Amino acid sequence: MRLLALLWSLGPLLWQLRTSLLRPEALVAPLPEGNPWTLANYQLVLSGDPPFWQYLANSTLVGLATTLLTLLLAVPCAYGLQTLRGPIRWGVGLALVAAAMFPTVLLFLALLEIARNFGLANNLLALSLPYAALSLPLAVLLLRAAFADLPGELEDAARLEGLGLGQRLRFVLLPLLGPALASTAILVFLASWNEYAIALTWISRSDLLTLPIAIARIGGGSVFTIPYGAFAAATVLGSLPLLLLVLLAQRSIVSGLTRGAVKG
Amino acid sequence: MSTSSAAGLELRQLCRKVGDRRLLDGLDLQVAPGECVALLGPSGCGKSTTLRLVAGLDPASGGQVLLDGVDLTGRSPGERQVAMVFQSYALYPHLSVEGNLDLGLKVRGLPPRERQQRIDATLELLQLGELRQRRPAQLSGGQRQRVALARALLRHPRIVLLDEPMSNLDAQLREDLRPELRRLLCGREQPVIYVTHDQQEAVGMADRIALLEAGRLQQVGSPRELYTNPANRFVASFLGRPAINLLAVEPGRQLGLRPEHIHLGGDGTVAARLLRREWWGHQQLLWLQTHWGAVRVLTGPEAPPPPEPRLSWQRQHELWFDPDSGARLPP
């Protein structure tokens, strides 16, 4: 049963890995002759101009900037919301949920106008502004829940010991929110890593492309041949950094996601 | 603004309202230096609210908190030099015992040398030296409680507040810790307020008890005063286990009789019939049916109840109340 579940969730990924390592003709032939395995797809992807690493670096830069900006704004916001009482708290919470569920598609044209008017096009750091704005509602909701889970007496104790707001955040609250911060950061980073539409409209210089756009461009040459192998290879390469990130933060993510589920 | 020359802690007409609810309604209370006053009452009576107002954690809706005649009401918790031990202990889970003690001193900018000295002295006082590197999760309930106490005493507070500090401990440990708590806290120069819903703890810890109900002070005095001379029916029935018998013996007056003050014998005035017996080892509790209803009587453990018990008591033990308001009436 466990094996089945594992296959169910890993199947598509393994298939992608297999595709990336096969010769194009082996993909369609039921029983290929000779050795069907090859690294040619990877060579193709990596030999592009600009090199594939450039796209990885671009996406990483945007992702880090987005995550940093989002957390810098979300932490004080979540703390403030958590200490609010009465109907304002309810109203702001509702507005946040609405904002988190708002369809991004409807924002393109407006965002494009903004980029044009403020000269934000073809600027990776500027790209993190709309990303942070889009991630903010969810991040605030997650962190607010995490703040709410902390026992209020902890902060009371810190106040009695004369810790100011900044000191309470730095020495008491944020260290305890570590897992929640890590899981929120990864969700924000992921969203930025995968974002397609805004990057497509804001970035046009090929050396500044982010990963999703670059992968989409691999199609290139002809409408009649689709380079499945190259797509797959680029996807595998693009997933590796995320895989690494999640593996590193695995423990804190799990404890962050299940925080408050059981009395700890 | 009026000031007082009285030393110690003084609460004047302290109020706390949230929306329409009056959590605390004009509390007047004085705690002398070195005195331990227990705030006692059922949950929701306003005792924890009072503590939070004294600590400055919640704003007062009215009234004043004075320490040695100086008004603290507008000051922040950090400026009040108040130490508080919470029910949950509120130890910082990510810091060691030493780190828990050090944080407050560090942010106050004390030199490392003095911090270390104070921490060492306090750890020794509370016999926590060997646990200094442990995290709170690695400590037993009693040890956590001692660390919370250490953190409170470390800062040489001018007021000590304890919010149900023993309610998370098992009964045996509670009894063992009571004298230690008294030794550490009471009889120094600071006033101590001890919040509890457990009357035994209040009687064992405090010099005086302030009994609260529904945000109002019912009576304040020594445990003996409250027990023998209750101001009203609530005080009489809250203190004492098994609870006092309240009997409607005549119209307009209710008679309160404590179970240990009723005697059984053939020469009593009230006929009764035995309903039930609980044997407690050192005593036994008898439930008797009379024409006023069921009556609880405490007797020695061995005495078998007479076949036709008759109840009697001394006039001096009678407590009379108004059946409607619960106010105490003259005998």
Side-chain angles (χ1 to χ4, degrees), chain A:
Chain A
M1 195 59 218
R2 278 183 211 174
L3 201 69
L4 205 68
L6 205 64
L7 266 178
W8 175 264
S9 40
L10 284 183
L13 302 178
L14 293 174
W15 195 258
Q16 191 83 324
L17 187 65
R18 175 184 172 274
T19 307
S20 74
L21 291 168
L22 282 177
R23 287 177 200 284
E25 59 273 20
L27 278 176
V28 283
L31 284 168
E33 292 164 23
N35 180 11
W37 304 106
T38 175
L39 284 174
N41 292 322
Y42 287 91
Q43 280 161 2
L44 183 74
V45 168
L46 291 175
S47 64
D49 178 49
F52 193 75
W53 304 118
Q54 181 68 51
Y55 305 134
L56 280 178
N58 291 344
S59 274
T60 308
L61 177 69
V62 178
L64 288 179
T66 304
T67 309
L68 198 70
L69 187 60
T70 307
L71 288 186
L72 277 179
L73 294 170
V75 166
C77 197
Y79 177 84
L81 269 180
Q82 177 50 30
T83 49
L84 269 184
R85 289 284 171 266
I88 310 173
R89 172 193 174 91
W90 190 80
V92 176
L94 199 71
L96 276 173
V97 174
M101 300 185 37
F102 194 82
T104 328
V105 195
L106 296 178
L107 296 172
F108 286 143
L109 290 176
L111 282 174
L112 197 59
E113 284 303 312
I114 290 173
R116 197 175 290 154
N117 285 338
F118 293 91
L120 298 176
N122 281 321
N123 183 336
L124 285 173
L125 287 178
L127 192 57
S128 65
L129 293 176
Y131 285 3
L134 291 174
S135 298
L136 204 54
L138 182 67
V140 171
L141 287 172
L142 286 174
L143 289 178
R144 187 181 72 168
F147 272 118
D149 276 352
L150 291 182
E153 291 191 341
L154 273 182
E155 200 184 352
D156 289 339
R159 280 171 70 194
L160 281 171
E161 291 201 283
L163 276 76
L165 177 57
Q167 291 169 323
R168 293 201 297 274
L169 279 171
R170 188 175 146 212
F171 294 120
V172 180
L173 300 177
L174 289 184
L176 293 174
L177 285 185
L181 285 172
S183 48
T184 307
I186 284 189
L187 286 177
V188 171
F189 190 86
L190 256 176
S192 149
W193 191 264
N194 289 334
E195 206 284 331
Y196 182 78
I198 299 175
L200 184 68
T201 47
W202 281 43
I203 305 284
S204 57
R205 266 171 54 189
S206 61
D207 60 322
L208 291 179
L209 292 182
T210 57
L211 213 54
I213 315 298
I215 292 178
R217 284 205 180 174
I218 287 174
S222 155
V223 275
F224 300 109
T225 58
I226 299 171
Y228 288 110
F231 271 142
T235 312
V236 169
L237 287 176
S239 313
L240 284 180
L242 288 185
L243 209 63
L244 204 70
L245 193 69
V246 173
L247 276 180
L248 283 177
Q250 194 181 29
R251 290 180 66 105
S252 38
I253 294 175
V254 171
S255 70
L257 291 180
T258 56
R259 197 187 183 87
V262 283
K263 207 178 158 204

